[in-house]
Amino acid sequence: MKKNNLWKSFWLTLIVLVVLLCLFFVPRTKVADTELRRVNILSDVQKVNEEGQIIAEIKADSIDGYVEKKIDTTAVKVKQLNYVDSVPKGMVAIEDFADEQGLHREMDKFYRALNNAGSRPVRVAYFGDSYIEGDILTMDLRAKLQQKFGGKGVGFVEIQCVSADFRRSVTTRRSGWSKYHANEKSSGFNSSYQGPAGSYFVPSGTATFEMRGTKNVYPNLLDSVDVATVFYTPGDGLTIDYSVNGGAMQSLFSNGTPAEPQTYEETVEYMDSDSIVRYKTVTRQVAVAQKGAGNVVAKTVNMKMGKFNMSVRGNGSRFYGVAFDSKTGVAVDNYSMRGSGGHHLSKIPQETLRSFAAVRPYDLIIIHFGLNVANSKQKDYSSYASQIGQVIDHMKAAYPGASILIVSMGDRDQRGSDGKMHTMGGVKELVSYERKMASDHKVAFWNLYEAMGGDGSIAQMKERKQANLDYTHINFAGGKYLAGLLYDVLMNGKENYDGRTR
């Protein structure tokens, strides 16, 4: 009689089942910062949250069968606005917290300026971390604004920055400079000398700098500009020679005496503390200031094509960068700081910012940080919000005529125990604190995390080849996509402004 082995199969199956069930209770482990997926044979019948954690069955208490998910704690709840701009379906609107009654709106200063872009420059300063490094996102935002409102050139460019080798909108070459940067404090960096980019550069012997706008990146051609402006603080015995478009060298500044200036005037519209619209005429070619930390000189030369060369000799001077612009239209300056949470901006001396504001006033200042702040173990970001709140007040004091817009950090993903990519813990909490920060300091706020799609959206962008493998940073394609979202919401805000003031 043949022996029956069914019991052996039963016991083998039972043992395997017990082992698999026990493996569920094994502590989670990580390999190269990636959490391994937990063994869970019941995953198909269990409810899990966004991070793959098992949750209990919850009875729905809403009409549509969904339970509202609470993100904000009591500490970060923001008072609802009494007004909301009309927006197309699916668009995440800019929230303007300047005035609870809506009589004065923070973004109106920028929208009003855009209506005057045909007669004077409208400038945007975009401060951010490595998310915008290499002119990513800002390059495409600049292009869209210039195509609609006019303008040429890449705006302000540092003498030397970490993204110089892969930036597509401009090429630079330099030699003979000592670099001092807020990210490299061990090199003798003095925070009281830094400019808006968090850096300054000192010539050693004879220093050279070349800047050229790239061709055929956009229809308006970045290599065709009206003016090049050099920003520096002069020292003793300084000599600056320059050439444009490969022509002969000319003197810009020599032995403490400026060469014959090439000037033009621009009208800058700004709103004072009493919300009264006033007009001020600013001459871009300013007189030589006395040597000091905050005395910034801006020397402008006329151009037609975008190639600028500069040779500098003399000790004790500090240089910040060169800007390529047109005399009207929109300019967007990229101020990226790798690894920063934005704290460095409050360390720029107020007199330096005011000195820059006199020669390069802004109509919109965008503050976009958080990538280096959010982490999965932290939920309370009140201290960080307080620090960036000081940055907001610092910028308000130096640029009273500028609108200030806080852009939240975008999505940042990590792999959960369910094997899928989800928003990293701490991101939503930080976004909530950034929103409260904007409310507390009465400026505007745009939720980039929600605008790009919320949970797991950076993973979706990665699948579309718009984000990098770190599920954190966007690439140039991603920058173009997000710049389109920001441009659309800005234009929607302007349409609402035009409708209110028409």
Side-chain angles (χ1 to χ4, degrees), residues 228-474:
T229 306
V230 183
F231 298 88
Y232 63 99
T233 298
D236 297 329
L238 175 64
T239 298
I240 306 174
D241 296 321
Y242 75 96
S243 70
V244 296
N245 309 320
M249 296 295 286
Q250 305 175 59
S251 176
L252 183 68
F253 188 95
S254 180
N255 297 322
T257 302
E260 187 67 25
Q262 302 180 51
T263 66
Y264 68 89
E265 293 185 346
E266 62 187 37
T267 300
V268 179
E269 181 183 25
Y270 71 96
M271 186 178 293
D272 68 11
S273 58
D274 297 322
S275 299
I276 300 174
V277 176
R278 300 184 185 278
Y279 296 87
K280 179 180 179 182
T281 299
V282 178
T283 302
R284 289 286 303 279
Q285 178 71 53
V286 299
V288 178
Q290 297 297 314
K291 184 169 66 173
N295 295 313
V296 178
V297 174
K299 307 286 278 182
T300 299
V301 298
N302 295 316
M303 301 181 65
K304 290 184 179 179
M305 300 300 291
K307 181 182 178 183
F308 178 83
N309 289 83
M310 178 174 65
S311 177
V312 178
R313 297 181 300 280
N315 299 320
S317 300
R318 294 183 298 277
F319 284 71
Y320 305 99
V322 177
F324 274 4
D325 296 307
S326 58
K327 296 180 182 180
T328 60
V330 178
V332 178
D333 295 348
N334 175 295
Y335 292 114
S336 62
M337 174 71 75
R338 179 183 295 182
S340 175
H343 315 80
H344 69 283
L345 295 174
S346 64
K347 305 299 182 182
I348 304 172
Q350 184 65 207
E351 66 169 319
T352 301
L353 281 180
R354 289 179 182 272
S355 188
F356 264 100
V359 295
R360 194 168 183 80
Y362 288 115
D363 299 286
L364 173 63
I365 294 175
I366 299 175
I367 301 174
H368 179 184
F369 292 94
L371 199 67
N372 303 288
V373 179
N375 66 83
S376 58
K377 297 181 180 179
Q378 185 174 347
K379 304 298 181 183
D380 186 338
Y381 295 93
S382 55
S383 176
Y384 173 72
S386 176
Q387 292 173 328
I388 302 302
Q390 295 176 18
V391 171
I392 295 174
D393 294 340
H394 201 52
M395 290 294 176
K396 278 186 173 183
Y399 300 92
S403 298
I404 295 180
L405 172 64
I406 304 299
V407 173
S408 80
M409 75 167 294
D411 186 38
R412 180 178 182 180
D413 287 0
Q414 64 183 18
R415 195 173 301 279
S417 58
D418 62 351
K420 300 178 181 179
M421 301 302 296
H422 298 283
T423 296
M424 184 183 76
V427 169
K428 297 174 187 176
E429 288 79 5
L430 176 56
V431 170
S432 294
Y433 274 96
E434 289 178 319
R435 181 171 180 265
K436 182 178 186 299
M437 175 181 68
S439 173
D440 289 345
H441 293 269
K442 298 187 181 302
V443 295
F445 174 79
W446 187 52
N447 192 330
L448 174 61
Y449 168 76
E450 290 291 345
M452 64 193 292
D455 179 45
S457 55
I458 194 70
Q460 297 171 14
M461 290 183 65
K462 185 263 176 187
E463 293 302 315
R464 300 196 300 265
K465 302 185 185 304
Q466 296 173 332
N468 297 338
L469 293 173
D470 60 1
Y471 292 92
T472 299
H473 293 86
I474 55 175

Side-chain angles (χ1 to χ4, degrees), residues 88-164:
K89 184 177 180 181
M91 177 180 287
V92 176
I94 291 174
E95 299 177 86
D96 203 317
F97 295 102
D99 188 318
E100 292 178 1
Q101 285 73 42
L103 301 178
H104 162 60
R105 305 193 187 186
E106 180 69 11
M107 294 298 294
D108 284 0
K109 292 176 281 187
F110 175 60
Y111 298 145
R112 183 185 302 111
L114 287 176
N115 286 334
N116 295 317
S119 59
R120 61 101 162 172
V122 176
R123 299 190 185 90
V124 179
Y126 201 123
F127 294 94
D129 47 35
S130 56
Y131 206 76
I132 63 168
E133 192 173 82
D135 215 10
I136 290 176
L137 193 157
T138 49
M139 179 173 71
D140 295 277
L141 178 63
R142 179 188 303 114
K144 286 180 172 292
L145 289 170
Q146 288 182 346
Q147 287 169 19
K148 184 171 181 65
F149 299 99
K152 305 173 186 177
V154 299
F156 179 88
V157 177
E158 289 179 271
I159 297 294
Q160 179 179 348
C161 63
V162 294
S163 62

Side-chain angles (χ1 to χ4, degrees), residues 17-238:
L17 180 63
V18 171
V19 170
L20 291 175
L21 288 171
C22 291
L23 285 175
F24 173 79
F25 297 99
V26 174
R28 297 181 181 183
T29 58
K30 289 185 177 182
V31 175
D33 293 329
T34 299
E35 187 177 275
L36 297 181
R37 184 174 180 177
R38 170 175 281 175
V39 177
N40 183 11
I41 62 174
L42 302 178
S43 60
D44 289 338
V45 296
Q46 287 178 325
K47 293 183 179 294
V48 296
N49 63 14
E50 294 173 350
E51 297 179 358
Q53 299 169 330
I54 297 174
I55 59 176
E57 181 74 24
I58 301 177
K59 185 178 179 179
D61 59 1
S62 61
I63 297 176
D64 58 7
Y66 291 94
V67 179
E68 181 183 5
K69 181 175 181 181
K70 302 291 184 182
I71 296 178
D72 287 357
T73 65
T74 302
V76 292
K77 283 186 177 178
V78 178
K79 185 175 181 180
Q80 287 285 48
L81 297 171
N82 292 336
Y83 63 91
V84 178
D85 278 341
S86 61
V87 297
K89 184 177 180 181
M91 177 180 287
V92 176
I94 291 174
E95 299 177 86
D96 203 317
F97 295 102
D99 188 318
E100 292 178 1
Q101 285 73 42
L103 301 178
H104 162 60
R105 305 193 187 186
E106 180 69 11
M107 294 298 294
D108 284 0
K109 292 176 281 187
F110 175 60
Y111 298 145
R112 183 185 302 111
L114 287 176
N115 286 334
N116 295 317
S119 59
R120 61 101 162 172
V122 176
R123 299 190 185 90
V124 179
Y126 201 123
F127 294 94
D129 47 35
S130 56
Y131 206 76
I132 63 168
E133 192 173 82
D135 215 10
I136 290 176
L137 193 157
T138 49
M139 179 173 71
D140 295 277
L141 178 63
R142 179 188 303 114
K144 286 180 172 292
L145 289 170
Q146 288 182 346
Q147 287 169 19
K148 184 171 181 65
F149 299 99
K152 305 173 186 177
V154 299
F156 179 88
V157 177
E158 289 179 271
I159 297 294
Q160 179 179 348
C161 63
V162 294
S163 62
D165 292 337
F166 66 86
R167 182 169 179 169
R168 296 179 179 178
S169 54
V170 67
T171 58
T172 57
R173 295 184 178 88
R174 84 290 306 160
S175 65
W177 298 92
S178 295
K179 175 184 176 183
Y180 298 91
H181 200 278
N183 269 351
E184 302 170 4
K185 297 179 181 179
S186 61
S187 63
F189 173 79
N190 187 332
S191 63
S192 66
Y193 289 165
Q194 65 181 316
S199 60
Y200 60 96
F201 306 86
V202 177
S204 300
T206 299
T208 63
F209 176 76
E210 178 183 306
M211 179 167 158
R212 184 198 297 261
T214 55
K215 295 182 179 180
N216 303 320
V217 177
Y218 294 107
N220 57 324
L221 296 181
L222 294 172
D223 70 329
S224 178
V225 299
D226 294 335
V227 290
T229 306
V230 183
F231 298 88
Y232 63 99
T233 298
D236 297 329
L238 175 64

